[in-house]
Amino acid sequence: MREVVPVIEVEGLSKVFSGKTVVNQLSLRVEKGEIYGFLGPNGSGKTTFMRMLCGLLQPDAGSGTCLGHDLLSEVEQIRSRIGYMAQHFSLYDDLSVRENLDFMARIYAVPKRRQVLAETIERMGLGPFVGQLAGTLSGGWKQRLALAACLLHEPELLLLDEPTAGVDPMARRDFWEQIYSLTAQGISALISTHYMDEAERCNRVAYLAYGNLLTSGTAEEVISAAGLSVWSATGLGIQELASHLKGLPGIELTIPFGNNLHVCGTDPEQLEQSLRPFFAASRYRWEKQESGLEEVFISLMSRRLENDDG
Amino acid sequence: MVSKEFLQMRRDRITFAMMLGIPVLQMILFGFAINSDPRHLPTAILSADNSVFSRRIVAAMQNSNYFQVVKTVSRESEAKRLIDTGEVQFVLSIPEQFSRRLVRGEQPTLLLTADATDPAATSNALTAFRIFAEAALASEFRGPLSYLQGTVAPLQVTVHPRFNPEANTRYNIVPGLMGVVLTMTLVIITALAITRERERGTMENLLSTPVRPLEMMVGKIIPYIIVGYLQMGFVLLAAHYLFQVPLSGNLLLLLVVSLLFIAANLGVGLTFSTLARNQLQAMQMAFFFFLPSILLSGFMFPFRGMPRWAQYIGEVLPLTHYLRIVRGILLKGNGLTEILPNLWPIALFLLFALSIGLKRFRKTLD
């Protein structure tokens, strides 16, 4: 059997904007049929990385392939096989839904255009809106239209840059259902997001901060690699508790979740030792917890910042 | 609020530069370049009489500042060609036996043929000519010839204003307007069309598709070429039916060569759109181009009235050459050979504008 070619494979990819390194030596591998989540704070280089993948930006260093084509020399071939959905709605507000889709289909020279158009409209449930101007659609429907537009030419890889930003939970769920059904057909997707629940829906995730890849792998791998112990305290006055805990040995992070305070550290014994005096206080109910992606990412970020300071 | 406006103004360097640049440009153009009383108009002499008197008249023309004798021709056909191509503004024809008839007091006629497509350029010079021609000769009427002094007009001057005998400015303005309208709308529209794509973020989407830059540019240009032709048709119809401008030349030729001019303007617009970051900047750049185009091209003020440097700038602008072509075809009935000298500068300009545009219009966003 032939070795399976990864959908994306990049090595040491870098991009510098006027002296500032936006993407630093990024190496990444995305397999066929995978949903790959891309996380990280704003300005961490997610968008830049995606733009490099679809040839909008030229990498300053590094190499890689996308769908088996070289990133530097075979941009044209890559472009016709990927679907890129930019962060901001980037279709024409003053064209109707159908006109927008028709335009994109022509741009990609989609064969049997009418048929494909009708099928896409049907599948994405855009039927009731075909005559409406895209600018008048609501956020969720705009996003659906944008997704429909980048599916017309049956791409093998979707690059979706924060597709669900500013979209209501219902529409988000629908959107993910679409993504699942697409990946079931063998399409791969690289999705950047700020939502943790979406990160957990991905097959694998990568966490980027200030251009550096901090961690990557399946959610379980990322969590176990971080080796974080988490205690949660429930009760009133957790802000006060947080201020008491700050700076104690073994306590790396305290993250409030409503009436909950998550206390994290990498050394479980030291963490427990520092917390023991507080266990006695009846105000709080203590519970040991599995760490989630969110705690891991926050801790990675704060460790990163400490390293930069030191 | 005020300080916020100033802060934003400072951030937008191009707009700021334009705000200062446009008044300066206007000042320079209006103050230095524009002169509605043109001097040193190129003149050819077709002399069939080589005498003291004719030399005297030619010398007086030179001295008057209004005329600059650039050529002496010996055949009528040559003189006609010079006027048709616009190489000279005037041809002074001195008839045979001019001096003999002058001496005999037969009031010989000097024929001054003018290219009067632009009456503003020629009227002052024509008035001046009658006066100083006589004055020049008066100083020769000495000694044995003193009997000619004081006679009513020793010679006659016939002025033959060609192409626009009634000195109707409208004939000059209306065909010129076609070029101006094309420049104004096409540069602005194309400059905005691409900047708008960028501003709205739709450019990012387009760039991620397999469309090539050339395809995109051509795709952007073609609709506006059609718009350009519609405008032309409109102006031509209005010129003919509303203003009764004679359309004496080959309209088909005009339509064909206009394509080059339209494309040149679109090329400028595209180049601006790759430079401008937002629609306001694109608009200002278009205006920055439009201003010298309209003032230095010979549309509003006679081209030959401007100082040397302004003429050089004017020679670069496609509108200058297009105006000559349009006036040449419509008013003078020029054919391809006569307009050729004005055709290649436009082609050169187009090539230049498009190559800058394409170079700047790289497919990547950085």
Side-chain angles (χ1 to χ4, degrees):
Chain A
M1 216 177 94
R2 203 164 66 90
E3 197 195 339
V4 183
V5 186
V7 172
I8 300 173
E9 186 167 39
V10 294
E11 270 298 315
L13 214 60
S14 297
K15 181 75 199 174
V16 180
F17 281 130
S18 49
K20 202 169 158 249
T21 307
V22 180
V23 172
N24 188 17
Q25 304 274 323
L26 194 71
S27 301
L28 200 86
R29 199 182 151 101
V30 177
E31 306 290 347
K32 190 170 160 56
E34 219 174 22
I35 305 179
Y36 202 97
F38 226 43
L39 287 106
N42 292 329
S44 57
K46 302 189 298 275
T47 300
T48 307
F49 179 72
M50 285 203 180
R51 285 180 173 173
M52 281 196 281
L53 280 181
C54 57
L56 285 175
L57 292 172
Q58 194 113 63
D60 290 323
S63 62
T65 59
C66 186
L67 297 165
H69 294 293
D70 188 78
L71 266 190
L72 296 167
S73 59
E74 297 179 306
V75 174
E76 302 280 328
Q77 287 96 314
I78 295 176
R79 281 186 181 142
S80 58
R81 293 173 61 192
I82 59 167
Y84 172 62
M85 187 171 150
Q87 199 167 345
H88 304 286
F89 181 71
S90 57
L91 291 168
Y92 298 91
D93 282 345
D94 45 1
L95 293 187
S96 72
V97 168
R98 182 190 292 283
E99 285 162 347
N100 265 307
L101 290 175
D102 190 51
F103 172 69
M104 290 308 284
R106 278 169 195 261
I107 289 266
Y108 281 105
V110 173
K112 292 195 217 151
R113 206 177 70 238
R114 281 171 198 285
Q115 196 188 328
V116 172
L117 222 61
E119 281 168 13
T120 308
I121 289 169
E122 168 73 29
R123 182 173 53 176
M124 301 299 285
L126 286 165
F129 303 104
V130 282
Q132 201 174 324
L133 294 188
T136 61
L137 291 176
S138 68
W141 283 104
K142 268 190 186 172
Q143 172 241 40
R144 222 171 232 248
L145 170 60
L147 183 65
C150 60
L151 289 175
L152 288 166
H153 60 295
E154 296 177 0
E156 292 151 68
L157 168 66
L158 291 173
L159 297 174
L160 309 175
D161 195 358
E162 294 189 19
T164 53
V167 169
D168 69 72
M170 269 292 279
R172 263 171 63 195
R173 218 184 53 204
D174 289 350
F175 177 79
W176 275 92
E177 252 154 48
Q178 291 280 354
I179 298 294
Y180 279 129
S181 81
L182 288 168
T183 49
Q185 296 163 30
I187 296 177
S188 322
L190 180 67
I191 302 177
S192 75
T193 180
H194 286 298
Y195 298 108
M196 287 303 144
D197 61 315
E198 291 188 350
E200 280 156 12
R201 288 168 187 260
C202 297
N203 301 114
R204 285 201 290 154
V205 293
Y207 193 78
L208 240 71
Y210 311 113
N212 297 290
L213 183 67
L214 296 188
T215 182
S216 66
T218 63
E220 293 78 30
E221 281 169 7
V222 166
I223 289 169
S224 72
L228 214 58
S229 304
V230 180
W231 282 88
S232 122
T234 317
L236 291 170
I238 52 163
Q239 287 303 335
E240 194 192 327
L241 177 64
S243 63
H244 285 308
L245 292 175
K246 197 159 253 173
L248 291 178
I251 295 177
E252 261 184 53
L253 266 182
T254 57
I255 311 164
F257 284 94
N259 292 331
N260 243 306
L261 186 73
H262 288 192
V263 187
C264 323
T266 39
D267 185 341
E269 277 162 33
Q270 227 183 1
L271 178 65
E272 230 179 295
Q273 213 161 11
S274 295
L275 288 180
R276 198 154 295 141
F278 298 94
F279 286 169
S282 57
R283 290 171 71 185
Y284 312 113
R285 194 157 43 82
W286 288 91
E287 234 173 320
K288 193 159 168 53
Q289 270 205 336
E290 289 287 306
S291 63
L293 277 176
E294 180 145 19
E295 287 107 29
V296 170
F297 291 150
I298 295 177
S299 113
L300 282 171
M301 270 301 289
S302 56
R303 249 183 274 172
R304 173 89 205 167
L305 289 176
E306 274 163 35
N307 287 351
D308 283 353
D309 291 343
Chain B
M1 196 66 196
V2 172
S3 61
K4 185 215 97 193
E5 286 302 316
F6 272 115
L7 274 177
Q8 286 185 321
M9 217 186 274
R10 228 180 48 203
R11 294 287 185 276
D12 191 352
R13 290 274 167 80
I14 296 187
T15 305
F16 194 63
M18 290 283 175
M19 275 195 295
L20 295 180
I22 287 179
V24 170
L25 185 73
Q26 275 173 322
M27 244 150 43
I28 291 174
L29 293 185
F30 278 108
F32 294 119
I34 286 162
N35 176 5
S36 52
D37 184 22
R39 309 280 170 131
H40 305 292
L41 298 168
T43 305
I45 306 290
L46 174 65
S47 178
D49 175 272
N50 189 6
S51 67
V52 181
F53 300 114
S54 54
R55 279 199 300 274
R56 187 79 207 190
I57 290 173
V58 171
M61 279 177 99
Q62 289 276 42
N63 289 339
S64 75
N65 280 336
Y66 276 111
F67 302 91
Q68 185 166 15
V69 178
V70 290
K71 265 209 167 94
T72 309
V73 293
S74 50
R75 263 177 320 190
E76 193 133 347
S77 59
E78 172 77 357
K80 184 180 174 306
R81 191 190 63 82
L82 289 174
I83 286 257
D84 279 349
T85 56
E87 218 171 300
V88 298
Q89 191 96 32
F90 299 102
V91 172
L92 177 70
S93 313
I94 303 174
E96 272 176 60
Q97 308 201 325
F98 170 71
S99 48
R100 184 183 302 176
R101 297 180 59 201
L102 182 73
V103 174
R104 286 187 190 157
E106 287 176 21
Q107 297 186 319
T109 308
L110 283 176
L111 177 65
L112 186 62
T113 313
D115 171 358
T117 44
D118 184 0
T122 47
S123 59
N124 282 347
L126 290 177
T127 324
F129 181 76
R130 291 173 202 270
I131 298 164
F132 68 70
E134 285 176 29
L137 290 178
S139 58
E140 286 293 322
F141 300 151
R142 279 169 290 145
L145 292 179
S146 50
Y147 64 92
L148 285 171
Q149 273 182 26
T151 48
V152 260
L155 77 167
Q156 283 181 345
V157 174
T158 303
V159 171
H160 180 26
R162 289 194 55 198
F163 313 123
N164 186 0
E166 288 148 36
N168 201 334
T169 7
R170 186 200 287 170
Y171 287 5
N172 185 48
I173 293 286
V174 175
L177 202 59
M178 190 154 73
V180 173
V181 166
L182 288 176
T183 303
M184 184 165 68
T185 48
L186 295 182
V187 171
I188 292 177
I189 288 175
T190 36
L192 289 184
I194 287 195
T195 321
R196 189 172 55 220
E197 296 253 6
R198 181 161 321 146
E199 222 176 50
R200 293 202 190 157
T202 50
M203 189 57 103
E204 190 176 351
N205 190 31
L206 278 182
L207 291 177
S208 71
T209 67
V211 180
R212 289 162 201 279
L214 192 67
E215 281 178 287
M216 209 186 289
M217 281 191 121
V218 171
K220 276 275 170 196
I221 280 185
I222 287 175
Y224 298 113
I225 288 187
I226 297 170
V227 171
Y229 271 117
L230 285 179
Q231 289 182 329
M232 265 182 73
F234 200 68
V235 176
L236 281 177
L237 283 179
H240 191 64
Y241 292 107
L242 204 59
F243 299 106
Q244 275 89 39
V245 175
L247 305 179
S248 55
N250 184 345
L251 282 182
L252 194 67
L253 177 68
L254 179 66
L255 291 180
V256 173
V257 296
S258 294
L259 183 63
L260 205 61
F261 177 68
I262 291 174
N265 281 314
L266 296 175
V268 175
L270 281 179
T271 306
F272 285 160
S273 73
T274 61
L275 295 170
R277 259 176 295 141
N278 53 45
Q279 296 192 48
L280 179 65
Q281 287 183 355
M283 193 78 189
Q284 286 164 327
M285 284 184 198
F287 191 67
F288 208 77
F289 176 74
F290 181 60
L291 203 62
S293 275
I294 196 169
L295 294 177
L296 296 185
S297 64
F299 170 66
M300 277 185 145
F301 307 97
F303 187 78
R304 287 183 172 123
M306 304 188 304
R308 265 297 116 150
W309 60 266
Q311 291 196 16
Y312 284 131
I313 299 174
E315 291 286 358
V316 176
L317 301 169
L319 182 59
T320 310
H321 298 282
Y322 186 68
L323 283 181
R324 292 179 195 159
I325 292 176
V326 175
R327 288 169 181 168
I329 293 179
L330 290 184
L331 300 177
K332 301 182 186 176
N334 279 174
L336 187 60
T337 38
E338 284 96 356
I339 60 168
L340 216 51
N342 283 313
L343 211 51
W344 66 262
I346 300 184
L348 203 68
F349 186 91
L350 167 67
L351 213 64
F352 187 66
L354 266 190
S355 55
I356 292 186
L358 263 181
K359 207 172 161 182
R360 293 264 335 163
F361 189 86
R362 278 163 306 168
K363 244 198 140 171
T364 44
L365 280 174
D366 55 357

